[in-house]
Amino acid sequence: MTKLLRRSPSLLGRASRVLRQRGFSTQPVEAEEAGGGISLALSEDQVALQQLARRFAADEIIPVAAEYDRTMDFPRPVFNKAWELGLVNTHIPEEYGGLGLGCTEGCIIGEELAYGCTGIMTAMEANGLAEAPVILAGTHEQKRKYLGRLTEAPLQAAYCVTEPGAGSDVAGLSTTAKKQGDAWVLNGNKMWITNGGVANWYFVLAKTDSNAKAGSAFTAFIVDSDTPGITAGRKEINLGQRCSDTRGIAFEDVVVHDSNRLGEVGKGFKIAMGAFDHTRPPVAAGAVGLARRAMDEAIQYSAQRKTMGKPIAQHQGVSFMIADMAIGIEAARMLTYKAAYEIDQGRRNTIYASMAKAFAGDHANKVCADAVQIFGGNGFNTEYPVEKLMRDAKIYQIYEGTSKSNGSSSPVRSSRQAHQRLLPHEPTPKGAKLTKMTSTNVCKDLMSAFDGDMLMLSIMMRLSFGTQVDL
């Protein structure tokens, strides 16, 4: 168990008892059947975790966030303090030194950390993204070795998948791995790798069969960052989240032993995509935390700034903007919790995770833009916090699947899931042809599949193709 056991034994005692079943497990929480109905309230233990993360953000993140944005240094001192408190690597099972918390608890913690600074939060959450495939598909020895490293010391890991020519289109990756005896030789270039320059190890996806379809063409590997042949590129200077270490990673004849292969040969794509079901809800939670911070800054400023003899918050135009912020934040949080709850129950949450990430990311950008507008000229100046928030927000529409492509990897599968899960009492129409869709036949096929259900059609068009249908 992490040092949080020594620093806060009462908190961990409660959290461990209630939440130990809610990690990356396929076992449903028994309380769902015994609960007797829906509850939107956090448990006592979840509130304790929330308060711990909120205090940490207020005391350790907010005071230094602007300086890290200016220097663009990796926030190692903050990371180390968060690790000591158990706010990093929360999903690692207790067997390997972690807390074994669920996705819901990760979202609760992530929102609070993001309220302080999403760049610092991303530096922490990147560990969770790299860990997820190992938790889902690793052997006991792989988990003991690589997850154990992260709980024994404040180290970083990175999810090394995106390439210069393949972002959301993971199937377009060109990095290769060729078998040579009992090892694999990796060659290729990865790009936009969070924690790329500070990671102790990488989760890497490489093509092992150039003739196969995406579902069986890729294999996953765990690669130590000090392996000969790996070169980390320069730190990228990004629009926002500037303290997050983002780099390109080159692999030139990198030899990886077969014992570091993650899962079966040809199953890497499934492993990599399966991780997103667990990691997109925390990303959405980060967007919620960012939006909440921007709203609070706008509320505070609008209560102080006066025009025409009264605070601008009392002008209807401004008050309506703040109301819309609050409405969307609450909606985004509930959608995020829904996505997290589903995966914690051992049920597939792909469509909810994509919905939450897309909606929360879009709303965070709107909230931050409106906050800058409320600040007026001051909002355009670096002396005030909202310009940084606006810069930090944009990435939430890009990483872990762009807002316009989230869910598009399989619109038909998502369509069936949406129809069955959102409308559970109305089964998918008999005889509906759910074939692979293209841009030319999508409207026709979706209309047929949903039997004229325009609301469902609009939802799926928005998620899968970034377009809308007039109702």
Side-chain angles (χ1 to χ4, degrees):
M1 191 66 70
T2 70
K3 293 185 179 181
L4 181 54
L5 281 172
R6 295 192 291 272
R7 297 175 64 94
S8 187
S10 61
L11 168 63
L12 255 293
R14 295 196 306 271
S16 181
R17 286 195 306 272
V18 178
L19 305 175
R20 66 180 59 194
Q21 300 181 49
R22 303 193 60 180
F24 281 61
S25 169
T26 57
Q27 299 301 317
V29 177
E30 296 176 1
E32 185 182 32
E33 289 80 18
I38 295 175
S39 172
L40 299 180
L42 300 183
S43 69
E44 179 183 350
D45 303 290
Q46 290 170 335
V47 171
L49 290 169
Q50 182 184 57
Q51 292 175 345
L52 176 66
R54 185 170 295 176
R55 288 195 303 270
F56 184 83
D59 296 342
E60 304 292 345
I61 297 180
I62 292 177
V64 300
E67 181 65 10
Y68 276 112
D69 180 67
R70 186 186 68 80
T71 64
M72 294 182 279
D73 292 335
F74 185 78
R76 194 174 299 280
V78 183
F79 183 100
N80 291 352
K81 291 177 182 178
W83 178 85
E84 292 226 2
L85 285 174
L87 295 175
V88 185
N89 308 317
T90 60
H91 305 306
I92 293 179
E94 291 181 270
E95 182 180 2
Y96 306 106
L99 301 180
L101 300 184
C103 188
T104 302
E105 288 68 47
C107 290
I108 292 168
I109 293 170
E111 179 183 337
E112 300 305 324
L113 298 180
Y115 185 94
C117 174
T118 56
I120 294 176
M121 179 264 193
T122 296
M124 301 176 189
E125 186 58 36
N127 268 28
L129 179 57
E131 295 159 2
V134 181
I135 294 173
L136 291 172
T139 64
H140 170 71
E141 179 58 29
Q142 289 171 337
K143 293 176 182 179
R144 186 193 63 79
K145 181 177 180 180
Y146 289 100
L147 299 181
R149 283 186 193 176
L150 302 182
T151 58
E152 292 169 0
L155 301 176
Q156 291 77 43
Y159 183 90
C160 206
V161 173
T162 301
E163 297 184 2
S168 296
D169 179 20
V170 178
L173 299 179
S174 60
T175 295
T176 62
K178 295 183 178 180
K179 188 73 179 295
Q180 291 188 3
D182 59 355
W184 297 81
V185 180
L186 275 61
N187 283 281
N189 293 281
K190 300 296 184 177
M191 190 59 190
W192 310 118
I193 306 305
T194 304
N195 282 0
V198 296
N200 178 267
W201 56 266
Y202 303 116
F203 165 79
V204 181
L205 191 64
K207 183 171 289 187
T208 50
D209 186 347
S210 60
N211 297 318
K213 295 182 179 180
S216 56
F218 299 95
T219 301
F221 300 90
I222 308 171
V223 184
D224 290 287
S225 63
D226 61 357
T227 305
I230 294 179
T231 302
R234 66 179 177 87
K235 174 181 166 61
E236 298 295 331
I237 301 175
N238 296 324
L239 172 70
Q241 298 194 2
R242 290 184 166 182
C243 68
S244 173
D245 190 275
T246 307
R247 301 174 188 255
I249 307 294
F251 296 84
E252 185 175 357
D253 294 330
V254 176
V255 179
V256 180
H257 196 272
D258 191 58
S259 61
N260 274 35
R261 172 174 45 83
L262 189 62
E264 298 177 17
V265 175
K267 300 299 184 182
F269 184 83
K270 181 179 180 180
I271 294 169
M273 295 301 97
F276 284 146
D277 287 350
H278 298 274
T279 61
R280 277 179 177 155
V283 170
V288 172
L290 173 62
R292 203 181 93 220
R293 172 71 181 280
M295 180 182 69
D296 285 353
E297 295 288 353
I299 291 172
Q300 182 179 1
Y301 183 83
S302 65
Q304 298 171 351
R305 174 81 166 100
K306 292 183 178 181
T307 62
M308 291 169 278
K310 60 181 179 180
I312 62 173
Q314 295 180 19
H315 295 300
Q316 193 176 67
V318 173
S319 66
F320 280 9
M321 291 171 72
I322 293 174
D324 286 342
M325 292 178 184
I327 292 168
I329 289 169
E330 199 67 22
R333 183 185 294 113
M334 291 298 100
L335 189 52
T336 299
Y337 283 179
K338 172 65 174 178
Y341 176 78
E342 286 296 310
I343 201 69
D344 282 343
Q345 297 303 315
R347 295 191 288 259
R348 186 173 181 181
N349 72 336
T350 304
I351 189 168
Y352 295 116
S354 296
M355 284 178 172
K357 196 272 178 184
F359 181 78
D362 286 348
H363 188 64
N365 275 267
K366 182 180 186 303
V367 170
C368 290
D370 286 348
V372 170
Q373 193 68 35
I374 289 173
F375 272 71
N378 290 333
F380 198 65
N381 188 276
T382 58
E383 293 298 315
Y384 293 82
V386 290
E387 66 85 24
K388 174 185 179 297
L389 298 177
M390 185 174 179
R391 287 188 288 106
D392 289 347
K394 186 58 189 175
I395 192 63
Y396 281 104
Q397 293 179 312
I398 299 173
Y399 62 13
E400 293 230 19
T402 66
S403 291
K404 299 304 181 186
S405 69
N406 241 314
S408 64
S409 59
S410 184
V412 180
R413 185 169 61 247
S414 296
S415 299
R416 183 186 295 275
Q417 184 183 9
H419 199 267
Q420 292 177 339
R421 296 289 294 122
L422 295 180
L423 302 175
H425 301 298
E426 298 180 23
T428 303
K430 292 183 178 180
K433 295 182 179 180
L434 299 179
T435 58
K436 183 176 181 180
M437 298 183 182
T438 66
S439 58
T440 57
N441 67 10
V442 60
C443 290
K444 178 180 177 181
D445 285 359
L446 278 173
M447 281 292 290
S448 174
F450 291 134
D451 194 25
D453 186 336
M454 293 300 294
L455 176 59
M456 185 62 64
L457 175 60
S458 293
I459 292 173
M460 294 315 306
M461 289 288 287
R462 170 66 177 84
L463 274 175
S464 299
F465 298 95
T467 58
Q468 294 180 335
V469 176
D470 293 330
L471 299 180

